[in-house]
Every structure is written in C-alpha cells, then in structure tokens.
Amino acid sequence: MLLSVANWTNWAGNQHASPARVETPRDTDEVVRAVKQAAAERLRVKAVGAGHSFTGIAATDGVLLRLDALSGLREVDRAAGLVTVGGGTPLHRLHALLAAEGLAMSNLGDIDRQSITGAISTGTHGTGERLGGIATQVRGLEIVTGDGSVLTCSATEHPDVFAAARVSLGALGIVTAVTLQCEPAFELTAAERPLPVADAIRDLDELAAANEHVEFYWFPHTETALLKENNRPQPGDPTSRLGTVRTWFDDEFVANTAFGLLCRLGRARPSMVPRLNRIVTKAITPRTFTAPSYDVFVSPRRVRFVEMEYAVPRAAAGEAFAAIRDVVERERLQVSFPVEVRVAAGDDIPLSTASGRDSAYFAIHMFRGVEFERYFRAVEQRMRALDGRPHWGKMHYRTAADLRPAYPRFDEFLAVRDTVDPDRVFTNAYLDTVLGR
C-alpha cells in the first residue's frame, strides 16, 4: 500500500481538502487494513475516484483512499451478461474491457471520467424514458464497512444493504467491487440537429417516447436548442461513420477548443455572452452517424465548469424549464454554458433522484472562474417548489431536514447506515449536512 500526504482538489477546482494521509490500497485486504487503522486512530475515511463530483462528497481531513489500483475485470459470465469489476475502474476503461468481451452497458451518462464506484454512489444517470441510471444496472456489491468487515450484497444476500448501497453517497462503506448487468455489445445511430427550444420542450414527451435516448441542450439568451436522438440501428437502416477529421473538428475543435475560447472571452467580457451564444448556435449543423454505444453516449468534456442538476417529476418538465429561463432573464445573468435536459425511468433505490418516479433532469452549468452561486441558488429555489431532488455529486444547498420529505425512503437509508457504519467512519462535512450525524 502506497502512503503519501497531499492536498486534494476536484476536477472543477471548487473543492479542496488536506487529508492527514492518502493511501492507495492494492486490493480489498489493504482497504480493510486502512479502514481498521483509521478507525483505531479516530480518523474518518473517504474514497476518491476521478474527483468529478462538484460537491465535497469525497473530501476529508482524515484518510483519503485512492482506489486506482482496484481496477479491471474480476469475473465475466458472458452467458448471463454479468461482469464484476474493481470499484476503482474508470468508466472509460470499462468500455474497452467490456467491448473485448463482446459486452456493453445498457445506458451511460455523457461523461466517462468517473470511476464505477463514484458514478453509482452519486446517482450518475444517462437518458431514456425506459431506462434508469447506472445504479439500476448493478447486481452485486462488495463493501468494506465501518468495522473493517467485508460485506457482499445483492438482491438475495443482505438485500436491505444492497437496496441502499446502489446509491450510497459513500456513506455506507468503501465499495471495492461492483457486479454489473451488461448486454451484448451494440451500436447506436446518433441524429443531432438544431431546433427551436420552444419545440424541444413542448415535444419532450413525444420525443422521449419515440427514441431510446433523447436529450437537448438549450443555449441561454437564444431560441435554439441542440437535439440529440440516439437509437439502435435496425436491419436495413442506412448507417454512416464520421471520419477522423470530422470527429476531431466537431468534438474537439468546435465543442472544446473554440467553445473554451468563447467561454474565456465571456468571462472577461460578460456583456458579450448573449452575442457569443448566438454565434455558437449558428455553428450547430445537423449530423447523423453510427458508432459503438459508448462512443455515442459519451462526449469529451475538456472545458471545465461547475454544475448543478435537479430531477423533477416528468409532469413538471415544462414548468421546470420555464423556471430556469425566467431566472436567467429576471436575474439578468450572463450564462455561457447550455442547460442540459434529459429524462429517465423511475427506480426502487432509496436515495436515487428517480426513486419511485419517472424524472426529468435539468443540468445548469457555469464556466470555471465565473460566479455561480446567485444562479444556482435561484434555480434551486424554483426546483424545490416543483418537488425537485438535487444530484448528489453536483452543487446544491440542501440539508437533511429538507431532503427527508423529498425522499420517502430517506429513513430507510439512515437505518442501513446505522447498521454498517454506526461510528460514522465514512462521514464528512458534506454527509453531515445532507444526511445528518
């Protein structure tokens, strides 16, 4: 096990921590030893993956565990489509490992820098009204609990822990292995085009029903959205591949290099943001291409930002979008980053943002270095009025007192926490705020 002392900063640069020490365990046994030693020293323990959460969910002044070495395939059952991987496996590496086995995950978010444990623990999701978040693909977990015990759980083994631990916020222990339900590798055909934002939000239900995956991005200060529809090609459907040059131009130069330059210009000259956004929307051109599923789900994100995302009941999607637009206009904000709108199926996970209900998701962003709190707080106030639930890994200002009514199974989760971590070995300031002590 490698030991070091180092300051920690997340991907967005808005969260910082100075742990007493950083450890890099090489296997589950070393995680057990690290947890037991920390508990004996009365130090808190947190695991960290890619640091892609915008909240302080991974921060600690105790022992920070980097799970990079707990990576790769442990077991593969091709017939059943079940794969067990180390908890520190990055999603972008997992794609390649699964593809080599002829398998793929059914749904993904649009960023794949996270570890599998970080993704499920914070409730990371993709889009598709018939599909849930990544945690709904989990079939088993290996967890090191507060006393250093190794607990394996599934729908039939410690089912109460399994139900809660699929979206655990890191509060129940260190997830050292994850068993996923996969399916045979597949391709998606992506159809992307600009359209009036009024049409996108008006037709959201129709679009969601007609497509396996659909989402749109609205550029504030404009009337334009970018619609993305992703579906599996059917036999006989025409397919097209993007060449290397076109892929680089669209996904690297336009979406990252050029967009990053415009964001920096907007940060320096905020009054120019509406005009710059109109320039961006004019650069959007339709494209259709077919590629392996993970290459369609995921987009490279090299322009850094901070983000808030809220899940509201599907029926409230129109109100939620109107509220965000009203905040931007009423507060006279200059917002260079688009608002992302997605939908997902309800699930049965206590602290999932889609727990018990089909949901629409609204993600708002600000370029790194631009003041965001006024925007985020104003939007949060409106989302709360719509029974919104904040993404656990993204900025919000909620507390346990007002989150409990939003989650009917909140106390069920806390009861599991009391069982597997009664001494709160895995707590930190963020968890004290959103779950209570």
Side-chain angles (χ1 to χ4, degrees), residues 85-106:
V85 300
T89 308
L91 290 177
H92 63 89
R93 184 177 176 221
L94 181 57
H95 305 328
L97 294 172
L98 293 178
E101 301 290 341
L103 297 170
M105 295 177 67
S106 299

Side-chain angles (χ1 to χ4, degrees), residues 185-254:
F186 62 98
E187 292 189 323
L188 287 170
T189 294
E192 303 174 0
R193 59 188 170 93
L195 82 166
V197 69
D199 294 352
I201 193 65
R202 181 196 65 209
D203 298 336
L204 181 60
D205 285 343
E206 180 181 328
L207 289 164
N211 294 280
E212 291 182 67
H213 312 273
V214 69
E215 61 187 308
F216 73 82
Y217 294 79
W218 169 60
F219 294 83
H221 318 294
T222 80
E223 299 300 323
T224 302
L226 169 63
L227 178 68
K228 295 187 173 187
E229 301 166 285
N230 300 330
N231 295 283
R232 302 183 193 216
Q234 301 302 308
D237 285 354
T239 59
S240 62
R241 312 285 172 175
L242 290 182
T244 303
V245 173
R246 176 68 190 272
T247 299
W248 172 85
F249 182 79
D250 288 348
D251 296 337
E252 289 295 342
F253 180 74
V254 174

Side-chain angles (χ1 to χ4, degrees), residues 6-319:
N7 292 328
W8 172 84
T9 302
N10 68 339
W11 178 85
N14 69 311
Q15 300 290 342
H16 308 275
S18 298
R21 63 177 178 267
V22 178
E23 303 189 16
T24 308
R26 292 167 292 190
D27 54 30
T28 300
D29 288 342
E30 290 195 349
V31 173
V32 168
R33 285 197 291 273
V35 169
K36 286 182 174 180
Q37 182 175 348
E41 296 173 5
R42 298 186 179 276
L43 293 174
R44 305 304 184 190
V45 181
K46 297 304 296 181
V48 65
H52 219 287
S53 290
F54 301 90
T55 63
I57 196 167
T60 186
D61 58 2
V63 178
L64 191 71
L65 297 185
R66 293 192 175 276
L67 301 185
D68 306 53
L70 277 69
S71 183
L73 296 178
R74 284 195 180 187
E75 296 180 30
V76 178
D77 183 342
R78 293 187 189 86
L82 293 173
V83 174
T84 300
V85 300
T89 308
L91 290 177
H92 63 89
R93 184 177 176 221
L94 181 57
H95 305 328
L97 294 172
L98 293 178
E101 301 290 341
L103 297 170
M105 295 177 67
S106 299
N107 202 9
L108 290 165
D110 63 359
I111 294 175
D112 65 357
R113 298 296 98 181
Q114 312 97 315
S115 68
I116 184 60
T117 291
I120 63 173
S121 295
T122 57
T124 299
H125 61 92
T127 187
E129 72 169 15
R130 294 174 289 278
L131 293 164
I134 293 177
T136 64
Q137 300 171 59
V138 175
R139 296 294 179 267
L141 295 166
E142 178 184 87
I143 307 173
V144 177
T145 61
D147 64 358
S149 299
V150 179
L151 182 73
T152 57
C153 59
S154 67
T156 57
E157 185 178 11
H158 302 293
D160 55 335
V161 178
F162 177 70
R166 286 175 290 170
V167 178
S168 70
L169 285 64
L172 305 183
I174 307 299
V175 177
T176 50
V178 181
T179 299
L180 296 164
Q181 180 65 65
C182 298
E183 61 175 290
F186 62 98
E187 292 189 323
L188 287 170
T189 294
E192 303 174 0
R193 59 188 170 93
L195 82 166
V197 69
D199 294 352
I201 193 65
R202 181 196 65 209
D203 298 336
L204 181 60
D205 285 343
E206 180 181 328
L207 289 164
N211 294 280
E212 291 182 67
H213 312 273
V214 69
E215 61 187 308
F216 73 82
Y217 294 79
W218 169 60
F219 294 83
H221 318 294
T222 80
E223 299 300 323
T224 302
L226 169 63
L227 178 68
K228 295 187 173 187
E229 301 166 285
N230 300 330
N231 295 283
R232 302 183 193 216
Q234 301 302 308
D237 285 354
T239 59
S240 62
R241 312 285 172 175
L242 290 182
T244 303
V245 173
R246 176 68 190 272
T247 299
W248 172 85
F249 182 79
D250 288 348
D251 296 337
E252 289 295 342
F253 180 74
V254 174
N256 284 291
T257 304
F259 181 61
L261 288 171
L262 292 178
C263 286
R264 286 192 287 276
L265 180 56
R267 183 173 61 191
R269 299 280 299 277
S271 63
M272 294 184 64
V273 167
R275 192 186 327 162
L276 295 173
N277 281 11
R278 290 190 289 272
I279 292 172
V280 171
T281 60
K282 286 181 171 56
I284 298 173
T285 56
R287 68 174 185 171
T288 300
F289 65 94
T290 301
S293 57
Y294 52 87
D295 279 338
V296 174
F297 284 132
V298 175
S299 300
R301 294 281 186 261
R302 314 208 193 286
V303 180
R304 302 205 179 198
F305 53 85
V306 290
E307 180 178 359
M308 168 185 282
E309 183 175 54
Y310 258 82
V312 301
R314 273 286 300 274
E319 281 185 87

